[in-house]
Amino acid sequence: LASNSVRAIAIDSARRKWFGTETFTGAPPGGVSVLDDNSTPFTKTDDMWMTYTITDGLASKNVWGVAIDSAGRKWFATLGGGVSVLDDGGTPFDKANDQWMTFTITDGLTGNGVNVVKIDSAGRKWFGTGLGSGRGVSVLNDNGTPFNKGDDQWQTFTTADGLPDGDVAGLAFD
């Protein structure tokens, strides 16, 4: 595990567990760790672990949200770095074919301090932000092409639009 301070967990279609962690001074480096327990959660001898850090393409070592889209791409809400998306080609234990992209305020994100990421049934990515000057909710329609920013559509909601507070730490769909 990248750090003992786990902020988010998601489970992919192969039942692998993805952990978003954060770090503090003197603590392990933080990032994202994936566990494949081979469907034997009480037997650790067959566990496989892999950790992703900023060296791999993650925007920040502090990951507060994890979501997985219908194509199996992993979306990571990071503290101060924006949002990173990883397409591991279905092989999270082989980094050779990984593709990364990061979204920040320059792309349309409300702020780079992202607390949470959720994906709705239409495939839109929702980001709750709250640290620094960018506070609110951003919605990304990447038109199914997260590695091509040219067709992206962004929508932002802030307190000026009716949010009671700009620090958004949770999202849910009805």
Side-chain angles (χ1 to χ4, degrees), residues 24-144:
F24 301 98
T25 303
V32 174
S33 293
V34 58
L35 164 66
D36 186 342
D37 63 15
N38 287 295
S39 297
T40 59
F42 301 105
T43 303
K44 292 184 178 186
T45 57
D46 61 350
D47 289 358
M48 293 175 51
W49 285 92
M50 178 64 71
T51 294
Y52 294 90
T53 66
I54 56 176
T55 305
D56 298 304
L58 192 59
S60 168
K61 58 188 176 182
N62 296 305
V63 179
W64 284 24
V66 179
I68 302 171
D69 68 21
S70 62
R73 294 177 292 246
K74 289 74 181 173
W75 293 79
F76 306 114
T78 75
L79 182 62
V83 175
S84 291
V85 59
L86 165 65
D87 186 343
D88 60 23
T91 59
F93 300 100
D94 178 6
K95 295 181 181 182
N97 64 343
D98 290 355
Q99 188 174 6
W100 287 89
M101 180 64 71
T102 296
F103 298 90
T104 65
I105 57 173
T106 59
D107 299 304
L109 194 60
T110 308
N112 288 336
V114 185
N115 298 321
V116 62
V117 55
K118 297 284 185 180
I119 302 170
D120 69 20
S121 61
R124 292 175 298 241
K125 288 71 181 179
W126 293 72
F127 309 107
T129 65
L131 296 174
S133 60
R135 296 164 48 95
V137 174
S138 292
V139 184
L140 168 63
N141 178 359
D142 62 21
N143 289 296

